Amino acid sequence: MKRFVDLADFEREEVLSLLELARRLEKQPEPRALAGRILALLFLNPSLRTLASFQAAMARLGGNSFVINPGRGSWQLETRPGVVMDGAAAEHVREGIPALASYCDALGIRAFAEGKDLASDLAETTFNAMASLTEKPLINLESALNHPCQALADWKTLDDLAVPRAGRFVLSWAWHPRPLPLAVPAAALHMAALRGMEVIVLRPEGFALPPVVMERARQAAARSGGSVRESAEREEALDGADVLYVKEWAATERYGDAEADARLRSALRGWCVRNDWFTRAAPECRLMHCLPVRRNSAIADEALDSARSVVQREAANRLPVQMAVLHQMLRS
Ligand code: CP
């Protein structure tokens, strides 16, 4: 594997094989598998899980890693093409990324959405521009529209918990004080569709995921025996649900317009998940969220601390699935 940037680049069978490798590495550690290998981790945005789990994954496989946080101990990096660099950034990614790549065997990049121009974010303009600067194996640590490592960990979590392949997976919008990127909802949607689930995107008016994201998921579902639809009706969507996957995201119909987004979401404080959301769900319905989550804004304490919450298992699963990705990518 040369690049792990989008789960949609892989057939279902290839994902299943990665998950099998993750389970094998959990049971049979290979502490020398990546001896002498180096992973560079470039974070243009903050992280807890991705940063720590990738460093831990390399260490558990006998390799090494180094982290660059531009502007905090290393030069501020400019990503925009053609700008006059008279601001805070002292270095452009066009020089910075090839330099970093020359020190490592694989590179991971986190570059969130700009959140201004939907077409540009849908085209992964920033991430793709950086990806084009190196031929080294590359891992997407979360881009404008994707978070494949989170999606792979979530798939493993569903398998660990024996959630039925054809079970009902409800991806629900939740309230947040600010518009957040589409990366996790788009990745979770695609993951559940490719797994073959009955997927419902539950969201208020104005927050529909972009048609291109929905269409791509529908095509994945069609290949895997699943389905994808949308709803704004909570009770109907959650009726018999096996999974409620919660995520906050921006108002796509007013993308980049912070004031309009704020006006739309001001009436939606009720989209904070509480235990009564599960009244009509399957008895074993699981509550998922990629983290970080704002308690009592997106999910109430009573739900997040309940037995149905599997958020810590999702976080823990980042380690074995990323070990599997690194193993496939770097084991010679
Ligand atoms: N879920 C996730 O990617 O967490 P971090 O942002 O902390 O890495």
Side-chain angles (χ1 to χ4, degrees):
M1 185 201 305
K2 183 88 171 151
R3 299 213 155 187
F4 188 72
V5 299
D6 185 347
L7 215 56
D9 294 338
F10 298 88
E11 293 300 326
R12 191 169 182 281
E13 297 310 315
E14 294 174 304
V15 177
L16 295 179
S17 151
L18 263 178
L19 292 171
E20 196 177 308
L21 176 57
R23 281 188 287 273
R24 193 188 88 202
L25 291 169
E26 273 183 319
K27 286 189 196 129
Q28 299 162 16
E30 294 187 25
R32 302 296 300 156
L34 299 189
R37 300 297 201 145
I38 296 175
L39 174 69
L41 294 162
L42 173 60
F43 281 90
L44 300 187
N45 312 96
S47 168
L48 185 151
R49 279 145 292 273
T50 308
L51 171 62
S53 57
F54 263 107
Q55 289 183 290
M58 280 305 280
R60 288 207 182 277
L61 291 168
N64 281 293
S65 57
F66 63 87
V67 177
I68 299 293
N69 298 122
R72 281 176 289 153
S74 67
W75 304 115
Q76 186 77 45
L77 287 180
E78 179 59 75
T79 58
R80 295 167 297 169
V83 294
V84 176
M85 289 178 54
D86 56 3
E91 179 157 25
H92 201 281
V93 288
R94 291 181 67 165
E95 286 74 50
I97 286 189
L100 283 177
S102 70
Y103 309 140
C104 65
D105 300 291
L107 180 64
I109 298 176
R110 169 166 281 198
F112 286 176
E114 300 247 315
K116 293 175 187 156
D117 177 353
L118 182 57
S120 171
D121 285 342
L122 287 173
E124 296 279 24
T125 308
T126 305
F127 185 87
N128 286 343
M130 290 196 280
S132 72
L133 297 169
T134 178
E135 293 294 314
K136 286 279 168 76
L138 183 73
I139 302 173
N140 182 348
L141 307 179
E142 188 174 339
S143 59
L145 207 67
N146 232 306
H147 199 349
C149 300
Q150 182 66 51
L152 194 59
D154 290 338
W155 190 323
K156 181 172 182 299
T157 301
L158 295 171
D159 288 356
D160 289 352
L161 297 168
V163 174
R165 175 179 168 181
R168 179 174 284 200
F169 181 99
V170 178
L171 168 64
S172 177
W173 185 86
W175 190 85
H176 189 279
R178 288 185 294 108
L180 294 190
L182 304 174
V184 170
L189 166 64
H190 200 89
M191 176 278 297
L194 191 61
R195 190 171 181 263
M197 303 188 78
E198 179 198 358
V199 185
I200 303 174
V201 181
L202 171 64
R203 80 297 178 277
E205 297 307 329
F207 291 84
L209 292 175
V212 64
V213 172
M214 295 298 295
E215 183 50 33
R216 223 166 55 132
R218 284 197 182 96
Q219 286 173 14
R223 291 197 304 277
S224 305
S227 62
V228 172
R229 68 178 173 89
E230 293 177 89
S231 176
E233 301 299 326
R234 186 182 306 158
E235 287 200 4
E236 175 273 322
L238 283 167
D239 194 6
D242 297 287
V243 177
L244 172 58
Y245 194 108
V246 182
K247 192 64 191 85
E248 314 85 332
W249 67 82
T252 44
E253 288 175 16
R254 308 306 295 268
Y255 199 82
D257 182 343
E259 282 182 17
D261 182 291
R263 273 196 303 277
L264 264 178
R265 69 180 57 236
S266 66
L268 300 170
R269 292 293 293 249
W271 287 70
C272 172
V273 176
R274 300 185 180 281
N275 283 342
D276 62 8
W277 281 44
F278 296 90
T279 306
R280 290 169 60 177
E284 294 291 306
C285 182
R286 310 293 184 166
L287 170 62
M288 299 179 75
H289 189 289
C290 65
L291 304 180
V293 66
R294 289 185 182 226
R295 283 177 171 264
N296 305 308
S297 284
I299 307 178
D301 285 342
E302 62 180 25
L304 199 54
D305 296 332
S306 72
R308 31 175 114 258
S309 170
V310 296
V311 298
Q312 289 301 342
R313 186 184 278 264
E314 292 174 80
N317 269 330
R318 295 291 299 273
L319 181 58
V321 301
Q322 289 162 194
M323 285 168 65
V325 169
L326 291 164
H327 194 283
Q328 275 216 354
M329 193 172 262
L330 292 175
R331 182 121 164 91
S332 47

